[in-house]
Amino acid sequence: MSGPIPVSNSIELPAAEQAAAAAAAPASVSNSPTARAWRRFRKNRLGFTSLVIFTAMLVLSLFAEVISNDKPLVVHYSGQYYFPMVKDYSEKTFGGDFEAPTDYHDPFITQKMSESGNWMLFTLNPYGSKTLAYYSKYPFPSPPSKDNWLGTDERGRDLLAQLLYGFRLSVLFGLALMVVGVVVGIVTGAVQGYFGGWTDLSFQRFIEIWESMPELYLLIIFSAIFTPSVVLLVLLLSLFGWTSLSNYVRAEFLRNRQMDYVRAARALGVSNSQIMWRHIMPNSMTPVVTFMPFRMSAAILALTSLDFLGLGVPPGTPSLGELLQQGKQNLDAWWISLSAFVVLVLTLSLLTFMGDALRDALDPRKADV
């Protein structure tokens, strides 16, 4: 008598169904610290939305010349094509009498371009950062109109162009100041925290003396001696913008140099430079990354304040601080101060939201997603 026939509990699926099931299975999620921090950052809707909006504003400002410019993108005149944004053309090219660069808002040039077969293709906003609306129908500063969507300032410059170029200058200035401050702060903080002792003590006393120096008075003195420029401002403000981050990095190095992995690296004969930059530094990046958005917002606010006081960028350079100063002097021209205030507050708010979200994402005490 034969025994019972064994019955298998597993059901063999066809190959096509197995492939479909494998495709439907959830993909493995990376568990690296960077991936977990990024997931926590994306979960913060306010911070992630701020990052998207700020990035879009920055990209648009980087292409300000093709968005707001007093030179046309393309000119078709007498059967030929011209590209004024690439090459300057004199008035004689378009039937004028002078060798001076063409003013494409000149009524004479406009009339020439309106003749049969001739045309100009302007950017979205046909005004540059230094374009003066000579042919405006309203006195300066003029209110918003179909020609100047946000109005003009007291010099007759288009306000939308001023805001676009001024925002780009502020953000690039903040980035430059942040990079310099981060590099100097990391180096000085790492040296203090790793070696400790008299090295740390000497650096701390130097930082205390350096921070007690009157920064505003020094800026006034240097602005009176040297010609104002953006590079000079970056250098001067960089002299005082590294101390805060240096203290954070110092504290991280003081904590991490006592860890077992550092002692093991020393026992193996690893050099101090390799221990500092290859082992301790990656584990001390949390305060550095968190510091960046707040440092950038502080730099933008510092530039705006200096421009408001007349100690910032050279006159004629698009600046949010200069627009706020014009708004103070022309209280009836509400569109100047209002537009500059909105752009400044929006920029600082986005950076603050990004910094808060980044701090929460890098906090190891936060629950993972």
Side-chain angles (χ1 to χ4, degrees), residues 167-191:
F167 171 80
R168 181 175 68 178
L169 176 64
S170 299
V171 172
L172 295 181
F173 179 86
L175 284 173
L177 204 60
M178 179 193 69
V179 170
V180 175
V182 166
V183 172
V184 178
I186 287 177
V187 173
T188 55
V191 171

Side-chain angles (χ1 to χ4, degrees), residues 134-313:
Y134 292 112
Y135 311 104
S136 176
K137 303 176 183 178
Y138 309 98
F140 304 138
S142 60
S145 62
K146 65 177 182 179
D147 295 326
N148 304 99
W149 298 344
L150 297 180
T152 61
D153 63 3
E154 63 182 13
R155 300 180 184 178
R157 299 175 299 180
D158 182 73
L159 201 55
L160 178 58
Q162 292 295 301
L163 293 174
L164 184 60
Y165 286 89
F167 171 80
R168 181 175 68 178
L169 176 64
S170 299
V171 172
L172 295 181
F173 179 86
L175 284 173
L177 204 60
M178 179 193 69
V179 170
V180 175
V182 166
V183 172
V184 178
I186 287 177
V187 173
T188 55
V191 171
Q192 294 177 76
Y194 181 78
F195 293 102
W198 283 103
T199 303
D200 182 29
L201 185 63
S202 302
F203 260 106
Q204 284 297 297
R205 301 293 81 76
F206 171 77
I207 290 177
E208 291 175 0
I209 297 173
W210 191 253
E211 287 182 332
S212 64
M213 297 181 66
E215 180 179 355
L216 182 58
Y217 289 158
L218 291 176
L219 289 173
I220 295 175
I221 294 173
F222 281 112
S223 63
I225 298 175
F226 301 100
T227 302
S229 66
V230 178
V231 177
L232 179 62
L233 280 178
V234 172
L235 293 177
L236 292 178
L237 293 179
S238 297
L239 295 176
F240 302 94
W242 56 272
T243 54
S244 298
L245 180 62
S246 178
N247 292 330
Y248 285 115
V249 176
R250 168 183 172 270
E252 288 294 320
F253 268 73
L254 285 173
R255 179 178 62 86
N256 285 308
R257 72 171 185 167
Q258 304 296 332
M259 297 294 181
D260 292 337
Y261 70 90
V262 177
R263 296 177 179 175
R266 287 174 178 166
L268 292 173
V270 181
S271 63
N272 290 330
S273 61
Q274 288 183 328
I275 294 176
M276 291 173 63
W277 307 119
R278 295 186 58 183
H279 299 285
I280 300 181
M281 191 62 221
N283 295 312
S284 306
M285 286 299 294
T286 298
V288 176
V289 177
T290 307
F291 177 82
M292 290 181 178
F294 298 105
R295 175 57 186 160
M296 189 171 173
S297 61
I300 293 175
L301 190 59
L303 177 63
T304 304
S305 302
L306 291 174
D307 290 337
F308 182 82
L309 297 174
L311 303 174
V313 296

